[in-house]
Amino acid sequence: MSESASNFIHDFIDEDIREGGRYEGMKVHTRFPPEPNGYLHIGHAKALYIDFHTAEKYGGLCNLRMDDTNPTKEDEEYVDAIKEDIHWLGYDWGDRFYYASSYFGQMYDYAEELIRKGLAYVCELTADQMKDMRGDLTKPAVSPFRDRPIEESLDLFARMRAGEFEDGRMTLRARIDLSSGNFNMRDPVIYRINHMRHHQTKDTWCIYPMYDFAHPLEDAIEGITHSLCSLEFESHRPLYDWVIENCSVPAKPRQIEFARLGINYTVLSKRKLRNLVENHLVSGWDDPRMPTLCGLRRRGYTPESIRSFHERNGVSKVNSVVDYAFLEHCLREDLNRTARRVMAVIDPVKLILTNYPEDMTETFEVENNPERPEDGTRIVRFSRELYIESDDFMEVPEKKFFRMFPGNEVRLKSAYVIRCTGCVRDDSGRLLEIHAEYDPNSRGGNTPDGRRVKATIHWVDSKTCVSAEVRLYDSLFTVAEPDLADCNYLDFLNPESLKVMSGAKVEKSLADAKPGSGFQFLRLGYFCADSKDSSPERLVFNRSVSLKDSYKS
Ligand code: ATP
Ligand code: MG
């Protein structure tokens, strides 16, 4: 990682290293702590980028930890998907894969320690009562159980664990400061009863630690030095530090917050994304319109483009919304370098070269990528009957239309200059075929006399081309900020976010296109073979991004 990508997090770490103290002799150690209740999205990739690159910059380590302290919505299904997505992005946690739930025993012991120190108590207020008694800025919170004897709390806490009480009957609260201006410090609940089976610990526990208590302990147990998290945890930091200070943990991690990534025209919340999936508004978590990493991957995004996107957005303390067009810009830039250029016609119409011999076939050797001669060349076939894009033809041309119309000359990319002579329609006026004559002296696309030909169009050979389905995508939502608090994001779903072109024709070299590999379909954009639905028998291509860059830097 380059020095120029330094940021305020690195400044804090530099400061910690300089001062020694609690980090003396320790390697910088970060962690990525996803809750396994959904698939990772592009926002998580920002956190991944920060966690892994920070560790890398300091020659340190980054753990992967499933933050599975809440059994309610979690599922083993997500764990493997999360690992796959992180590896795909190019990050590796080595053998440091952990479950927060495997520390439940230690967390219980730390909670008991707090009770013994007079720093936690069992409270019998219901959730509603607690809310009513939390006070306000001028009035402190109240709990009648705050001064309950230590022995009594120890006994009740043990009985909570033993399953004697139903859900919600009592909680364990940290005894901090009922009048704190920070409500997170007003004796927060640190354990609650929840008779629910956990996907890892099964039926061992019926009490579960709250996030704010569990997270600092998880970090400390793993020897994390810097716990990097998003900005919404800023006001929880005093509680984080309190837990670290008052439990006899083996390390003293420091929490540093950074701004969350927001992108326009989409939503970045697992709950909202799950909603789209469960209501069948998209085809799944990996629908190519989703901002999930599996969705972006299926769409044709490369790990390089996503890492570059995060690197160039930088790390700050101020939440902001990044233009979706910038994400596309990063992909386009990467694919422009690497993608093989091919020809495909997504809305084909037959073109007949009436002066071209019926039984003749020619081949042209074309470069795979003019930007990278080392990618070599390939052979494309040419014959009397071709397909071209139907919107490259107008029988009566509009102003400034320079492509195919009767009497006009165009260049067939890499092949010949042709002159349109007319078209054939059926009784209902539907266009059946276009006729043209080729100039035999323009092989390669150059006119022998240097006469100017304005337009160049793409084509495929009708004899050798292959049929395919092409899926064109637009943004999932019609408005820039679909998840503003006071509206329902589902009202803004874009009904035209997917357009299926089922009769496309692609050049023969695409017949064995590997799922995921990117191509530039000349004049149309970057595409990849769909990893789920495409097969040699039935090719399906996704448009990853169009050629036109709408990003303004
Ligand atoms: P969501 O709101 O989408 O459900 P989350 O924060 O609940 O996300 P976690 O699984 O808890 O999801 O997130 C794991 C890590 O990713 C956390 O450290 C979190 O701060 C970070 N993260 C999540 N969303 C973003 C985002 N949009 N930008 C930056 N970091 C994020
Ligand atoms: Mg979370």
Side-chain angles (χ1 to χ4, degrees), residues 33-35 37 44 67 211 232-233 260 270:
E35 202 181 329
N37 61 351
H44 295 114
D67 210 336
Y211 181 90
E232 71 272 22
F233 293 105
R260 275 176 102 82
K270 276 183 284 194

Side-chain angles (χ1 to χ4, degrees), residues 423-434:
C423 66
V424 179
R425 293 184 185 272
D426 67 9
D427 293 343
S428 66
R430 198 170 62 91
L431 184 64
L432 294 180
E433 56 192 45
I434 300 167

Side-chain angles (χ1 to χ4, degrees), residues 32-35 41 43-44 46-47 228-230 232-233 258-261 268-271:
F32 177 70
E35 202 181 329
H41 54 60
H44 295 114
K46 172 173 178 174
L228 313 177
C229 63
S230 38
E232 71 272 22
F233 293 105
F258 56 83
R260 275 176 102 82
L261 170 77
L268 289 185
S269 138
K270 276 183 284 194
R271 185 179 57 78

Side-chain angles (χ1 to χ4, degrees), residues 409-427:
E409 273 194 322
V410 298
R411 179 181 298 104
L412 294 174
K413 174 75 184 170
S414 310
Y416 284 105
V417 170
I418 62 171
R419 180 184 301 278
C420 180
T421 53
C423 66
V424 179
R425 293 184 185 272
D426 67 9
D427 293 343

Side-chain angles (χ1 to χ4, degrees), residues 30-283:
T30 61
R31 85 290 170 261
F32 177 70
E35 202 181 329
N37 61 351
Y39 285 68
L40 299 183
H41 54 60
I42 183 86
H44 295 114
K46 172 173 178 174
L48 279 161
Y49 171 82
I50 294 173
D51 292 328
F52 278 94
H53 282 264
T54 300
E56 187 194 330
K57 171 170 171 163
Y58 290 95
L61 299 167
C62 181
N63 294 0
L64 174 59
R65 179 201 311 147
M66 295 299 134
D67 210 336
D68 59 347
T69 52
N70 177 0
T72 325
K73 294 172 286 154
E74 290 163 4
D75 201 318
E76 186 70 359
E77 164 202 350
Y78 300 120
V79 174
D80 291 335
I82 288 172
K83 287 180 169 176
E84 184 187 350
D85 286 345
I86 299 175
H87 272 153
W88 174 73
L89 268 186
Y91 301 124
D92 188 30
W93 54 89
D95 56 0
R96 293 174 313 284
F97 172 75
Y98 305 105
Y99 285 100
S101 56
S102 66
Y103 312 136
F104 280 164
Q106 283 150 284
M107 292 175 187
Y108 182 85
D109 293 342
Y110 287 124
E112 269 194 334
E113 177 188 354
L114 290 179
I115 301 175
R116 257 186 258 108
K117 288 176 170 169
L119 293 174
Y121 59 95
V122 171
C123 178
E124 292 171 51
L125 293 178
T126 63
D128 284 341
Q129 287 169 330
M130 214 181 287
K131 213 160 136 205
D132 289 344
M133 296 188 182
R134 71 197 284 261
D136 55 33
L137 284 177
T138 57
K139 214 169 69 199
V142 179
S143 168
F145 301 97
R146 195 166 205 255
D147 294 318
R148 137 176 285 163
I150 289 173
E151 286 311 319
E152 208 177 294
S153 276
L154 282 174
D155 174 58
L156 285 172
F157 188 48
R159 287 163 59 196
M160 277 167 67
R161 176 190 185 166
E164 260 189 53
F165 310 111
E166 75 275 23
D167 291 3
R169 174 74 184 75
M170 49 186 77
T171 58
L172 184 71
R173 293 175 73 174
R175 194 169 187 278
I176 308 179
D177 179 3
L178 286 178
S179 56
S180 173
N182 182 341
F183 281 65
N184 296 316
M185 300 297 272
R186 291 194 172 187
D187 289 12
V189 171
I190 58 175
Y191 259 97
R192 70 191 189 296
I193 303 172
N194 188 354
H195 289 269
M196 185 160 205
R197 194 182 164 80
H198 185 283
H199 66 95
Q200 289 300 317
T201 58
K202 313 295 176 209
D203 295 315
T204 312
W205 296 91
C206 62
I207 56 172
Y208 292 95
M210 302 301 287
Y211 181 90
D212 281 343
F213 176 63
H215 202 80
L217 295 177
E218 296 157 20
D219 286 341
I221 290 167
E222 290 177 16
I224 300 305
T225 57
H226 295 87
S227 180
L228 313 177
C229 63
S230 38
L231 214 50
E232 71 272 22
F233 293 105
E234 194 169 27
S235 64
H236 299 244
R237 188 180 348 124
L239 181 49
Y240 184 101
D241 290 339
W242 185 91
V243 172
I244 293 298
E245 211 46 54
N246 291 293
C247 299
S248 47
V249 288
K252 298 204 178 298
R254 171 178 182 182
Q255 174 178 307
I256 304 173
E257 310 85 19
F258 56 83
R260 275 176 102 82
L261 170 77
I263 305 189
N264 60 14
Y265 292 100
T266 190
V267 291
L268 289 185
S269 138
K270 276 183 284 194
R271 185 179 57 78
K272 289 177 181 167
L273 295 172
R274 190 182 314 107
N275 238 333
L276 294 173
V277 175
E278 285 172 359
N279 291 310
H280 307 289
L281 299 166
V282 292
S283 67

